[in-house]
Amino acid sequence: MNVEPNRSFDLRAYLSIRRARIDATLESYLALEEPRALYEAMRYSLLAGGKRLRPILCLAACELAGARAEIALPTACAIEMIHTMSLIHDDLPAMDDGDYRRGRLTNHKMHGEALAILAGDSLLAHSFELIARRTVGVPAQRTLAVIAELGRAAGPRGLAGGQVEDLAHEGKYGVGVDVLEDIHTRKTGALLEAAVLSGAILGGADALTTARLRRYAQRLGLAFQIVDDILDLTSTCEAVGKNVGKDASARKATYPSVLGLAESRRHVEMLIEHAMSDLACFGDRATPLVALAASLAQSL
Ligand code: GRG
C-alpha cells in the first residue's frame, strides 16, 4: 500500500523537541567524574550534537506500541552511547582514520588514541549499566530482551562484524550488491533496527507490530547507509560535519561505486517507499516514523 506522509505533521519541531530532551538526559547521565580525562573524552563525543536519530526512533517506536516515550528514555540514551562509541572507534587510525566528526576534531585527534579507545569502551559498557539500572515501570523480561537485542547489534553479528567485513573489502574490485547489503545491514542497519525494536519491546508491542517495525527498520537502516555513501561523494565537510570523499580514496565498496549514483538514489527511494508501507496499518500512530523515513529520501 502507498503511504503519504502526514503534511500537517511538523517533523522539524518534533525532532528539535526530542533532541533537546535526549541531549539534556545524556548530560545528566554522564556527569564529570574521576578519572577526569576519561570522562572528558567520553563527553567530548557524546555531547557534541549529532542528529540523535537512533534514540528518536526508539522513543517513537515505544509510543507506536502504545506506551509513554519516557519509559524508553534510558534505553534511547544508551543506544546513543553505543552509536557514539562506534563513531569514535570508526575514526581511529586503524580504521577509517578520520579528522572531523560532528563538526569538530575526532576524539583521538583531541584526546589521543589511548583515551579515544577507552572512551569508546567505557561508553559501550556504561550503556548497558544504564539500561539495567535506570529502566523503570516495565517488566524485567522486557529490559532483558532489550539488553539481548543491543548486545547482538553491537557484536560480531552487528557493528563489529560489519566493520570487519567493511575493512576486509577495502580496495577490492567486483564486490557484489549482496555482499554490500550484508556489510551495510550489519555495520549500520543492526543498531537502527535494535533502536526501533528496543522501543517496541519496552512499549509492549505484540508479535505482528514487532515484525512490521523490524522490516521498517531494516529498510530504513539500509537506506540510511546508502544515503551516507552518496553524501560522502556529493556533500562537503561543513555540511555533514565529518570528512567526505574518504570512501573513494580508500577504494571502499559502496552503493555508488558499485551501482552508480542514479541507481543508488533510486534504490533509496524504493527502500523508503517500502519502509513507509510497512507502517500503513498503524495509521496516525506511525506518523513520526513515516515522516522520518520520508525525510531521509528528501535529504538526497
Ligand atoms: C567496538 C563493539 C565495537 C564495535 C565498533 C567501529 C565499528 C565497530 C563500527 C563502525 C560502525 C559505523 C561507524 C557505521 C557507520 C554508520 C553511520 C552511517 C554513521 C553516521 O550516523 P549519523 O549520520 O551520525 O546518525 P550522527 O553524528 O548524526 O549521530
Side-chain angles (χ1 to χ4, degrees):
M1 193 199 304
N2 264 347
V3 177
E4 285 294 317
N6 179 345
R7 295 198 191 287
S8 64
F9 178 67
D10 188 346
L11 179 64
R12 195 189 282 257
Y14 173 87
L15 291 177
S16 121
I17 291 167
R18 284 280 146 107
R19 263 183 215 132
R21 182 84 179 101
I22 290 157
D23 285 347
T25 312
L26 283 170
E27 169 77 51
S28 76
Y29 282 165
L30 200 66
L32 257 184
E33 287 179 32
E34 293 297 331
R36 211 176 164 87
L38 178 59
Y39 277 89
E40 275 168 358
M42 291 163 79
R43 287 168 54 92
Y44 175 78
S45 293
L46 184 69
L47 307 178
K51 295 180 286 297
R52 311 304 195 200
L53 172 66
R54 294 152 192 82
I56 289 172
L57 286 170
C58 175
L59 300 180
C62 181
E63 283 178 322
L64 184 147
R68 285 180 310 114
E70 210 65 15
I71 64 163
L73 200 53
T75 294
C77 289
I79 291 168
E80 187 63 22
M81 289 182 185
I82 297 173
H83 169 57
T84 304
M85 168 282 294
S86 78
L87 300 180
I88 296 172
H89 283 192
D90 190 49
D91 290 332
L92 287 168
M95 305 225 193
D96 274 5
D97 197 11
D99 297 333
Y100 293 97
R101 176 69 74 172
R102 292 181 163 170
R104 47 167 73 176
L105 284 173
T106 47
N107 201 293
H108 66 277
K109 289 271 169 198
M110 192 67 189
H111 296 277
E113 254 184 85
L115 268 180
I117 292 168
L118 291 164
D121 295 343
S122 300
L123 284 169
L124 180 60
H126 194 59
S127 69
F128 287 100
E129 181 186 351
L130 194 59
I131 297 172
R133 287 194 196 280
R134 301 259 190 178
T135 308
V136 285
V138 296
Q141 275 141 312
R142 291 190 196 163
T143 310
L144 275 180
V146 163
I147 289 173
E149 195 73 41
L150 288 172
R152 185 187 194 282
R157 295 176 182 157
L159 289 178
Q163 180 76 348
V164 167
E165 288 300 315
D166 195 24
L167 293 170
H169 285 88
E170 259 181 26
K172 287 205 176 137
Y173 291 103
V175 176
V177 177
D178 49 341
V179 174
L180 211 49
E181 188 174 318
D182 182 55
I183 295 173
H184 284 12
T185 298
R186 291 207 251 164
K187 190 183 80 166
T188 305
L191 191 59
L192 260 123
E193 184 182 331
V196 172
L197 259 287
S198 300
I201 292 166
L202 291 169
D206 60 24
L208 193 65
T209 303
T210 305
R212 286 188 185 280
L213 282 170
R214 194 183 283 282
R215 273 160 55 100
Y216 159 86
Q218 285 168 345
R219 288 170 164 149
L220 187 75
L222 182 55
F224 189 77
Q225 181 58 58
I226 301 175
V227 168
D228 196 71
D229 288 352
I230 293 174
L231 294 179
D232 186 72
L233 270 181
T234 60
S235 195
T236 61
C237 183
E238 292 70 40
V240 290
K242 60 180 177 180
N243 301 92
V244 292
K246 286 189 81 72
D247 293 346
S249 49
R251 291 205 285 122
K252 255 185 194 275
T254 65
Y255 268 75
S257 72
V258 172
L259 290 181
L261 263 180
E263 189 52 33
S264 301
R265 286 195 177 106
R266 269 196 292 279
H267 205 66
V268 169
E269 278 157 15
M270 189 263 296
L271 284 164
I272 294 299
E273 199 180 303
H274 288 167
M276 295 197 309
S277 311
D278 290 329
L279 303 186
C281 64
F282 300 118
D284 289 347
R285 279 195 291 150
T287 294
L289 290 175
V290 168
L292 271 161
S295 75
L296 182 60
Q298 284 152 14
S299 68
L300 284 175

Coordinates of all heavy atoms in Angstrom, one line a residue, residues 85-101 106 108-109 113 159 162-171 183-184 187-188 225 228-229 232 242-254:
M85 N 30.2 5.4 20.6 CA 31.4 4.5 20.7 C 31.8 4.1 19.3 O 33.0 4.1 18.9 CB 31.0 3.3 21.5 CG 32.0 2.2 21.5 SD 31.9 1.1 20.1 CE 30.3 0.3 20.2
S86 N 30.8 3.7 18.5 CA 31.1 3.2 17.1 C 31.8 4.3 16.3 O 32.7 4.0 15.5 CB 29.9 2.5 16.5 OG 29.1 3.5 15.9
L87 N 31.3 5.5 16.4 CA 31.9 6.6 15.7 C 33.3 6.9 16.1 O 34.2 7.1 15.3 CB 31.1 7.9 15.8 CG 29.6 7.9 15.4 CD1 28.9 9.2 15.6 CD2 29.5 7.5 13.9
I88 N 33.6 6.9 17.4 CA 34.9 7.1 17.9 C 35.9 6.0 17.4 O 37.0 6.4 16.9 CB 34.9 7.1 19.5 CG1 34.1 8.3 20.0 CG2 36.4 7.2 20.0 CD1 33.9 8.2 21.6
H89 N 35.5 4.8 17.5 CA 36.3 3.7 17.0 C 36.5 3.7 15.5 O 37.6 3.4 15.0 CB 35.8 2.4 17.5 CG 36.1 2.1 19.0 ND1 35.9 0.9 19.6 CD2 36.6 2.9 19.9 CE1 36.3 1.0 20.9 NE2 36.7 2.2 21.1
D90 N 35.4 4.0 14.8 CA 35.5 4.1 13.3 C 36.5 5.1 12.9 O 37.1 5.0 11.8 CB 34.1 4.4 12.8 CG 33.9 4.3 11.3 OD1 34.3 3.2 10.8 OD2 33.5 5.2 10.7
D91 N 36.6 6.2 13.6 CA 37.5 7.3 13.2 C 39.0 7.0 13.5 O 39.9 7.8 13.1 CB 37.1 8.6 13.9 CG 35.8 9.1 13.4 OD1 35.5 8.9 12.2 OD2 35.1 9.8 14.1
L92 N 39.3 6.0 14.3 CA 40.7 5.7 14.7 C 41.6 5.4 13.5 O 41.1 4.9 12.5 CB 40.7 4.5 15.6 CG 40.1 4.7 17.1 CD1 40.0 3.3 17.8 CD2 41.0 5.6 17.9
P93 N 42.9 5.7 13.7 CA 43.8 5.5 12.5 C 43.8 4.0 12.0 O 43.9 3.8 10.8 CB 45.2 5.8 13.2 CG 44.9 6.8 14.2 CD 43.5 6.4 14.8
A94 N 43.5 3.1 12.9 CA 43.5 1.7 12.5 C 42.2 1.4 11.7 O 42.1 0.3 11.0 CB 43.5 0.7 13.7
M95 N 41.3 2.3 11.7 CA 40.0 2.0 10.9 C 39.9 3.1 9.8 O 40.7 3.1 8.9 CB 38.8 2.0 11.9 CG 39.0 1.0 13.0 SD 37.7 0.0 13.4 CE 38.2 -0.7 14.9
D96 N 39.0 4.0 9.9 CA 38.8 5.0 8.8 C 39.7 6.2 8.9 O 39.7 7.0 8.0 CB 37.3 5.4 8.8 CG 36.5 4.5 7.9 OD1 37.0 3.4 7.5 OD2 35.3 4.7 7.7
D97 N 40.4 6.4 10.0 CA 41.3 7.4 10.2 C 40.7 8.8 9.9 O 41.2 9.5 8.9 CB 42.6 7.1 9.3 CG 43.8 8.0 9.7 OD1 43.7 8.6 10.8 OD2 44.8 8.0 9.0
G98 N 39.7 9.2 10.6 CA 39.0 10.5 10.3 C 39.6 11.6 11.2 O 40.1 11.4 12.3
D99 N 39.5 12.8 10.6 CA 40.0 14.0 11.4 C 38.8 14.8 12.0 O 39.0 15.5 13.0 CB 40.7 15.0 10.4 CG 41.9 14.4 9.8 OD1 42.5 13.5 10.4 OD2 42.3 14.7 8.6
Y100 N 37.6 14.7 11.4 CA 36.5 15.5 11.8 C 35.3 14.7 12.0 O 35.0 13.8 11.2 CB 36.2 16.7 10.9 CG 37.3 17.7 10.9 CD1 38.2 17.7 9.9 CD2 37.3 18.7 11.9 CE1 39.3 18.6 9.9 CE2 38.4 19.6 11.9 CZ 39.3 19.5 10.9 OH 40.4 20.4 10.9
R101 N 34.5 15.0 13.1 CA 33.3 14.2 13.3 C 32.4 15.2 14.1 O 32.8 15.8 15.0 CB 33.6 13.0 14.1 CG 32.5 12.2 14.6 CD 31.7 11.5 13.5 NE 32.5 10.3 12.9 CZ 31.9 9.5 12.0 NH1 30.7 9.7 11.6 NH2 32.6 8.5 11.6
T106 N 38.1 14.8 15.6 CA 37.7 13.4 16.1 C 38.3 13.2 17.5 O 39.3 13.9 17.9 CB 38.2 12.3 15.2 OG1 39.6 12.6 14.8 CG2 37.4 12.3 13.9
H108 N 40.2 10.9 18.9 CA 41.7 10.6 19.1 C 42.6 11.8 18.7 O 43.6 12.0 19.2 CB 42.1 9.4 18.3 CG 42.0 9.6 16.8 ND1 40.8 9.4 16.1 CD2 42.9 9.9 15.9 CE1 41.1 9.6 14.8 NE2 42.3 9.9 14.7
K109 N 42.1 12.7 17.8 CA 42.8 13.9 17.5 C 42.9 14.9 18.6 O 43.8 15.6 18.8 CB 42.2 14.6 16.2 CG 42.4 13.9 14.9 CD 43.7 14.3 14.3 CE 43.9 13.4 13.1 NZ 45.3 13.4 12.7
E113 N 45.0 8.6 21.1 CA 44.4 7.3 20.7 C 44.0 6.5 21.9 O 42.9 5.8 21.9 CB 45.4 6.5 19.9 CG 45.1 6.5 18.4 CD 46.1 5.6 17.7 OE1 45.8 4.4 17.6 OE2 47.1 6.1 17.1
L159 N 27.5 -4.4 14.5 CA 28.5 -3.3 14.3 C 29.9 -3.9 14.1 O 30.6 -3.6 13.1 CB 28.6 -2.4 15.5 CG 27.5 -1.4 15.8 CD1 27.7 -0.6 17.0 CD2 27.3 -0.5 14.6
G162 N 30.2 -6.2 11.0 CA 30.1 -5.4 9.7 C 31.3 -4.6 9.5 O 31.7 -4.4 8.3
Q163 N 31.9 -4.0 10.5 CA 33.1 -3.2 10.3 C 34.3 -4.1 9.8 O 35.0 -3.7 9.0 CB 33.5 -2.5 11.7 CG 34.7 -1.7 11.6 CD 34.5 -0.3 10.9 OE1 33.4 -0.1 10.3 NE2 35.4 0.6 11.1
V164 N 34.4 -5.3 10.4 CA 35.4 -6.2 9.9 C 35.3 -6.5 8.4 O 36.2 -6.5 7.6 CB 35.4 -7.5 10.8 CG1 36.3 -8.6 10.1 CG2 35.9 -7.3 12.2
E165 N 34.0 -6.8 8.0 CA 33.8 -7.1 6.6 C 34.0 -5.9 5.8 O 34.6 -6.0 4.7 CB 32.3 -7.5 6.4 CG 32.0 -8.9 7.0 CD 32.9 -10.0 6.4 OE1 33.0 -10.0 5.1 OE2 33.4 -10.8 7.1
D166 N 33.7 -4.7 6.2 CA 33.9 -3.5 5.5 C 35.4 -3.3 5.2 O 35.8 -3.0 4.1 CB 33.3 -2.3 6.3 CG 33.2 -1.0 5.5 OD1 33.0 -1.2 4.3 OD2 33.1 0.1 6.1
L167 N 36.2 -3.4 6.3 CA 37.6 -3.2 6.2 C 38.2 -4.3 5.2 O 39.1 -4.0 4.4 CB 38.3 -3.3 7.5 CG 38.0 -2.2 8.5 CD1 38.5 -2.5 9.9 CD2 38.5 -0.8 8.0
A168 N 37.7 -5.5 5.3 CA 38.2 -6.6 4.5 C 38.0 -6.4 3.0 O 38.7 -6.9 2.2 CB 37.6 -8.0 5.0
H169 N 36.9 -5.6 2.7 CA 36.6 -5.4 1.3 C 37.2 -4.1 0.7 O 37.0 -3.9 -0.5 CB 35.1 -5.5 1.0 CG 34.6 -6.9 1.1 ND1 34.2 -7.5 2.3 CD2 34.5 -7.9 0.2 CE1 33.8 -8.7 2.1 NE2 34.0 -9.0 0.8
E170 N 37.9 -3.4 1.5 CA 38.5 -2.1 1.0 C 39.5 -2.4 -0.1 O 40.3 -3.3 0.0 CB 39.3 -1.4 2.2 CG 38.5 -0.3 2.8 CD 39.2 0.4 3.9 OE1 40.4 0.4 3.9 OE2 38.5 1.0 4.7
G171 N 39.4 -1.7 -1.2 CA 40.3 -1.8 -2.3 C 40.1 -3.0 -3.2 O 40.8 -3.2 -4.1
I183 N 27.2 -6.1 4.5 CA 28.0 -5.2 5.3 C 27.2 -4.1 5.9 O 27.3 -3.8 7.1 CB 29.2 -4.6 4.4 CG1 30.1 -5.7 3.9 CG2 29.9 -3.5 5.1 CD1 31.1 -5.3 2.9
H184 N 26.4 -3.4 5.0 CA 25.6 -2.3 5.5 C 24.6 -2.7 6.5 O 24.3 -1.9 7.5 CB 24.9 -1.6 4.3 CG 25.7 -0.8 3.4 ND1 27.1 -0.8 3.5 CD2 25.4 0.1 2.4 CE1 27.6 0.0 2.6 NE2 26.6 0.6 1.9
K187 N 26.8 -3.2 9.7 CA 27.6 -2.1 10.2 C 26.7 -1.0 10.6 O 26.9 -0.3 11.6 CB 28.5 -1.6 9.1 CG 29.5 -0.6 9.5 CD 30.4 -0.1 8.3 CE 29.7 0.9 7.5 NZ 30.5 1.6 6.6
T188 N 25.6 -0.7 9.9 CA 24.7 0.4 10.2 C 23.3 0.0 10.5 O 22.7 0.5 11.4 CB 24.7 1.3 8.9 OG1 26.0 1.7 8.6 CG2 23.9 2.6 9.2
Q225 N 22.4 4.0 5.2 CA 23.8 3.9 4.9 C 24.1 4.2 3.4 O 25.1 4.8 3.1 CB 24.3 2.4 5.2 CG 25.8 2.2 4.9 CD 26.7 3.2 5.6 OE1 26.7 3.2 6.9 NE2 27.5 3.9 4.9
D228 N 24.3 7.8 3.3 CA 25.6 8.2 3.9 C 26.7 8.1 2.8 O 27.6 8.9 2.6 CB 25.9 7.4 5.1 CG 27.0 7.9 6.0 OD1 26.8 9.0 6.6 OD2 28.1 7.3 6.0
D229 N 26.6 7.0 2.0 CA 27.6 6.7 1.0 C 27.5 7.8 -0.1 O 28.5 8.3 -0.7 CB 27.4 5.4 0.3 CG 27.8 4.2 1.2 OD1 28.4 4.4 2.2 OD2 27.4 3.0 0.8
D232 N 28.9 11.1 1.0 CA 30.3 11.1 1.1 C 30.9 11.5 -0.3 O 32.0 12.1 -0.4 CB 30.8 9.7 1.4 CG 32.3 9.7 1.6 OD1 32.8 10.2 2.7 OD2 33.1 9.1 0.8
K242 N 31.8 15.9 9.0 CA 32.8 14.9 9.1 C 33.5 14.9 7.7 O 33.0 15.5 6.7 CB 32.2 13.5 9.4 CG 31.2 13.1 8.4 CD 30.7 11.7 8.8 CE 29.6 11.3 7.8 NZ 29.0 10.0 8.1
N243 N 34.7 14.2 7.7 CA 35.4 14.1 6.4 C 34.5 13.5 5.3 O 33.8 12.6 5.6 CB 36.6 13.3 6.5 CG 37.6 13.8 7.6 OD1 37.5 13.4 8.7 ND2 38.5 14.7 7.2
V244 N 34.6 14.1 4.1 CA 33.9 13.4 3.0 C 35.0 13.0 1.9 O 36.2 13.4 2.0 CB 32.9 14.4 2.3 CG1 31.8 14.7 3.2 CG2 33.6 15.7 1.9
G245 N 34.6 12.2 1.0 CA 35.5 11.7 -0.1 C 36.4 10.6 0.4 O 37.3 10.2 -0.4
K246 N 36.2 10.2 1.6 CA 37.1 9.1 2.1 C 36.9 7.7 1.5 O 37.8 6.9 1.4 CB 37.0 9.0 3.7 CG 37.7 10.2 4.4 CD 37.8 10.0 5.8 CE 38.9 9.1 6.3 NZ 40.2 9.7 6.2
D247 N 35.6 7.5 1.2 CA 35.3 6.2 0.6 C 36.0 6.0 -0.7 O 36.6 4.9 -0.9 CB 33.8 6.1 0.3 CG 33.0 6.1 1.6 OD1 33.6 5.9 2.7 OD2 31.7 6.2 1.6
A248 N 36.0 7.0 -1.5 CA 36.7 6.9 -2.8 C 38.2 6.7 -2.6 O 38.8 5.9 -3.3 CB 36.4 8.1 -3.7
S249 N 38.8 7.5 -1.7 CA 40.2 7.5 -1.6 C 40.7 6.1 -1.0 O 41.8 5.6 -1.2 CB 40.8 8.7 -0.8 OG 40.1 8.9 0.3
A250 N 39.8 5.5 -0.1 CA 40.2 4.2 0.5 C 39.7 3.1 -0.5 O 39.9 1.9 -0.1 CB 39.5 4.1 1.8
R251 N 39.1 3.4 -1.6 CA 38.6 2.5 -2.6 C 37.6 1.5 -1.8 O 37.7 0.3 -1.9 CB 39.7 1.8 -3.4 CG 40.4 2.8 -4.3 CD 41.0 2.1 -5.5 NE 42.2 1.4 -5.1 CZ 42.4 0.1 -5.3 NH1 41.5 -0.7 -5.9 NH2 43.6 -0.4 -4.9
K252 N 36.7 2.1 -1.1 CA 35.7 1.3 -0.4 C 34.6 0.8 -1.3 O 34.2 1.6 -2.2 CB 35.1 2.2 0.7 CG 35.5 1.9 2.1 CD 34.7 2.7 3.1 CE 35.4 2.8 4.4 NZ 35.1 1.7 5.3
A253 N 34.1 -0.3 -1.0 CA 32.9 -0.8 -1.8 C 31.7 -0.1 -1.2 O 31.4 -0.2 0.0 CB 32.8 -2.3 -1.6
T254 N 31.0 0.7 -2.0 CA 29.8 1.4 -1.6 C 28.8 1.3 -2.7 O 29.1 0.8 -3.8 CB 30.1 3.0 -1.4 OG1 30.4 3.5 -2.7 CG2 31.2 3.2 -0.5

